[in-house]
Amino acid sequence: ELMRKKAIMVLHRFHQLSSGCIDHIVDKIRRCLCDRDPSVMGATVCLLHDLAVVSPSKFKDLIPSFVSILKQITEHRLPREYDYHRMPAPWITVRLLRLLGILGQGDQAASEGSYEMLLDVMRRADTGINVGYAVMYECVRTVTRIYPNATLLDTAAGNIARFIKSENHNLKYLGITALAEIVKDHPKYAAEHQLAVIECLEDPDETLRRKTLDLLYRMVNPVNVEFIVSKLLSFLADTSDEFLRAELVARITSSAERFAPSNTWYVQTVTRVLEIAGDLVQPEAAVNLMVLIAEGSGDAETDIELRCESVVHLAELLVMETDEESETVAMPSLLLQIIAWVLGEYGALIAETDMAEECPLPKLIDRLCAIAERPSVDSDTRAHLITALLKLSAQCGVCSSHTAAVVETFSRSQSLNVQQRCFEFTALLSQASLMQIVLPVDASCEDLEEDGSMNFLNNFVAQAAAKGASPYSPPTKDDDLDYSETSPQNDQLKYSAYAAPEKTNIVAPTPDLGSATLTAVPPPITSKKANAIGGSLGAAQGPWGAAPPKVPDPTPTPVVSAPVQVVEVTNTPLPTQSPVPVSDEPRELSDREKEAAMLFGGVSTTTDTKKSSRRTANKPPASKPVANQPVSAVTTPIIQQQQPVPAPVYEDLLGFDMPVSDAPPPQSAPVMDIFSMSDLSTVSPSQPPPVPSVAAVTPNSDPFMIAGLGTQPNSFVPLIPLVLTTPAFGGKWTGLASSETRVTVPISVPFQSPERFGRLASEQAGLHVIEIIAATMEVILSGSSSSGVLVCLHTKIMAGSGSATFTVRSADKQLSESLCDFLTKAVV
């Protein structure tokens, strides 16, 4: 046993060094899962976990075996030396739970087999000791990763509540981390922990406050964005950790751009971030701020008001900076450049504000000159300041003595950029009327007209020619050394494709099937034994289940699994919930409860939400809520209380007392509730296994229809799959360009995966999936009606906005509209 265990560990190390070096012996590794020794099995589970992270689709058939092993571990079927504080094999349990989370992510069929086992593990792990808390936390993470189930989510939320309400900081940390996991897709579960989250924000433990800030960022929405951003800004001002500051700056700017309630708030927020940590702000954020001030929202009065408020706000910052008599500049360079640009473009608007008496335009120019003269200012910022002085001088119609002295001083600068701007300033000062024409007020968004013929240079050319200059001679092909006089084919580009290489291998003759033929897609082959791993390995039996099959390698789908730390804490009993008397009399909310109401305003389904009124210039909105629906931070799939598919009958993996039956299960059996927590070991293998209480599954059945998550329209007749290649599809798509039907509809989360949508269209609409382009979230499909009418479908999924665009091309317009209506109802 020790040698087999060490061999598995060596293979694990080989995989860590080079992920593809053990692919040829994966079948043998799968057999090691059946080893009688639990240590060999545990080492194999660790190796299979890392293999499943790289390619989860290859190991989905092992889910029944993993569930069976997990069941026997929780029932104390392993030797006592694997127990830790009365918890059976907790480290193997944690690894198995992570495996189930990886393999069941976004897959309803793969997830349903583990529902009951997860409930059982959470119930048994509630022992009040540290290792039990670790197993409970891992169960919660697995529940949030697999296909959602209402019962499991409610149980996980209850465990999270117990963690958060604990007096132990380590358990609170686990609760906040788990709440951040569940709130990504199900924000409603965070509403009941309002006061606890506010307490964690004010906790002196910095680690707990950091994790709470991460939770707040995941919960941000248009209603609570102002409160959450204020908390993030407060934490940014207090912390000195550069890595945390960079992360906070990115989160604040992202939240402000996505959910800003107004343009004024956005300008003040970004300016505050620049003031606190301007060296960590990306230049794109500064550009977006200047573009917003310049372009505005399209309403003239609103835009003027925004520019006046921006000028006043930035002028106040400039006054605060120049009031301190120092040779250094405390303000970040990026913020100084924004101040220079805004005041240079719209500084004259200060006369229309309340700040006109305190800081008139001439005084504002003097303060800009004072900043430009400081030696600590870098050359790029000084260039922005000189340009701002030039624009303000053009607006005033006169150049102050202070400005002229600054321009004279820096005309001898070592920076060519600064020196050139000073010379241009001097040249324009000699022609004041020309300077006002070249630099008009509020012309940053105007399009510049270009003179392609450059006729304004004719006088210069004529003067040069009169002095004996040679006329311009355009370059010829003889000047290019790449051209050969003996090769006339080089005179032009080659646009024709290269000839295809000839196939030299010998292939077996195939019958001529003609062009694209109409073929029906066969139904998927299902396994006769749900809890065995059978297959080509025959009846090779082992203590951990039947030997795994030798399956062909499907196309790998990489899944990134973030490492999870199991926190070791002191044994602390979790608090018990006691009934609280309810009073009918209204009471005044405390300050902490008011903050909680501001924070969770957008989470509750009964709170009125407000939309962001800020216009993001030259940038599409990050998210668009569906019409006539309340704004929510995260789009969640609709979860209905349902009876999940029961787990299969488990074999005795340790070989104790329970006979193993190889007979195939019958096709029908009475319905059993898998959440009744009954002991599965009492089910005899000779008895027929339970079946779901839904309709029988046929090859063309939709799992979401079975689960009650969709509707089945009756007016659409499924098509006949038409097998085409991508080039053939492109030719037929071009030929049907004149008859196109296009609709954009909201799409629910389960169908925002191109693979899941392709399966839906194939099983319910009868379309053939030609190609799935995962990088751009596109799917192309083809089919034919019973009368032979060709149908081509292109689907573009936009997960960010929760919508999809269906483009159907067919000679039958009614058939195209009917297909669009069917898909619209199926994916909502």
Side-chain angles (χ1 to χ4, degrees), residues 136-346:
M136 289 175 62
Y137 168 74
E138 201 61 46
C139 285
V140 172
R141 291 190 71 247
T142 303
V143 169
T144 59
R145 295 194 64 180
I146 64 176
Y147 192 84
N149 176 270
T151 304
L152 284 175
L153 288 172
D154 292 341
T155 306
N159 292 332
I160 291 174
R162 299 179 61 193
F163 282 142
I164 293 179
K165 294 177 181 178
S166 173
E167 295 298 329
N168 189 287
H169 280 191
N170 291 331
L171 294 182
K172 280 188 176 181
Y173 184 90
L174 278 183
I176 292 294
T177 305
L179 187 61
E181 291 286 339
I182 199 173
V183 85
K184 290 187 298 185
D185 299 322
H186 313 284
K188 66 176 183 178
Y189 291 104
E192 60 181 286
H193 308 300
Q194 302 179 14
L195 296 179
V197 171
I198 297 299
E199 290 177 359
C200 293
L201 279 176
E202 301 172 356
D203 197 280
D205 188 345
E206 184 177 358
T207 305
L208 184 59
R209 282 189 286 130
R210 286 191 182 189
K211 184 56 66 175
T212 309
L213 290 174
D214 179 68
L215 170 64
L216 293 184
Y217 177 70
R218 296 171 185 262
M219 295 170 52
V220 66
N221 56 58
V223 176
N224 58 20
V225 62
E226 297 182 53
F227 177 78
I228 291 180
V229 168
S230 66
K231 291 294 183 182
L232 295 178
L233 283 172
S234 176
F235 201 82
L236 176 63
D238 295 338
T239 185
S240 58
D241 187 344
E242 289 299 319
F243 297 99
L244 179 60
R245 287 167 61 85
E247 184 178 3
L248 287 173
V249 166
R251 291 182 173 184
I252 293 172
T253 54
S254 174
S255 301
E257 289 181 0
R258 294 168 58 195
F259 303 111
S262 64
N263 291 339
T264 303
W265 180 88
Y266 176 78
V267 172
Q268 295 177 353
T269 301
V270 176
T271 304
R272 179 58 180 164
V273 175
L274 288 166
E275 188 178 357
I276 298 175
D279 53 333
L280 300 176
V281 179
Q282 296 296 324
E284 292 79 5
V287 172
N288 292 338
L289 177 63
M290 291 186 289
V291 169
L292 175 65
I293 296 175
E295 295 186 356
S297 59
D299 186 4
E301 295 182 1
T302 305
D303 294 344
I304 291 296
E305 182 180 357
L306 171 65
R307 290 162 187 166
C308 290
E309 293 175 351
S310 302
V311 167
V312 170
H313 182 62
L314 296 178
E316 291 175 350
L317 294 178
L318 181 64
V319 170
M320 293 172 57
E321 178 66 28
T322 52
D323 283 343
E324 300 178 1
E325 297 181 359
S326 174
E327 294 184 356
T328 61
V329 179
M331 193 176 296
S333 299
L334 189 58
L335 180 56
L336 276 176
Q337 294 174 14
I338 295 176
I339 291 175
W341 185 87
V342 173
L343 296 182
E345 290 288 338
Y346 308 105

Side-chain angles (χ1 to χ4, degrees), residues 50-102:
D50 288 2
L51 291 173
V53 170
V54 178
S55 179
S57 59
K58 293 182 180 180
F59 304 96
K60 288 184 180 292
D61 61 324
L62 292 178
I63 291 179
S65 291
F66 292 142
V67 174
S68 180
I69 295 172
L70 188 59
K71 175 178 174 56
Q72 297 186 60
I73 290 176
T74 57
E75 293 178 349
H76 294 271
R77 303 285 295 278
L78 266 64
R80 288 295 180 183
E81 54 264 26
Y82 288 91
D83 288 2
Y84 181 79
H85 289 274
R86 305 187 307 278
M87 178 64 62
W91 287 275
I92 300 179
T93 301
V94 167
R95 189 70 66 170
L96 287 169
L97 290 172
R98 294 179 185 177
L99 259 170
L100 294 177
I102 294 172

